[in-house]
Amino acid sequence: MNELIDPPLTTIRQPVLDIGRIAATIMLSEIDGTRGEKSKVVLKAELLQRKSVSKLI
């Protein structure tokens, strides 16, 4: 959708399939009582620079 806007907007691409898989795994382990210690999950995101940003002089 962002490709249709002029100028094209800078966005962040997130690993949505990984986010969903990890969330489902955590949720199911909570339900069946097998989840151990709580932990922090950090996934890599990608900055997609388009024409809505410019270099400062």
Side-chain angles (χ1 to χ4, degrees):
M1 182 78 144
N2 288 327
E3 293 84 17
L4 302 175
I5 299 171
D6 190 32
L9 297 177
T10 296
T11 58
I12 295 178
R13 177 179 293 149
Q14 297 182 17
V16 292
L17 292 176
D18 290 337
I19 292 170
R21 180 183 50 80
I22 293 167
T25 301
I26 291 170
M27 182 182 67
L28 292 172
S29 65
E30 282 281 346
I31 290 169
D32 66 17
T34 60
R35 180 143 190 242
E37 258 184 63
K38 298 196 186 241
S39 60
K40 184 176 185 178
V41 178
V42 179
L43 300 175
K44 236 180 176 173
E46 179 183 0
L47 178 65
L48 301 175
Q49 286 188 354
R50 296 191 178 104
K51 293 185 180 183
S52 64
V53 295
S54 63
K55 294 181 181 180
L56 297 176
I57 299 174

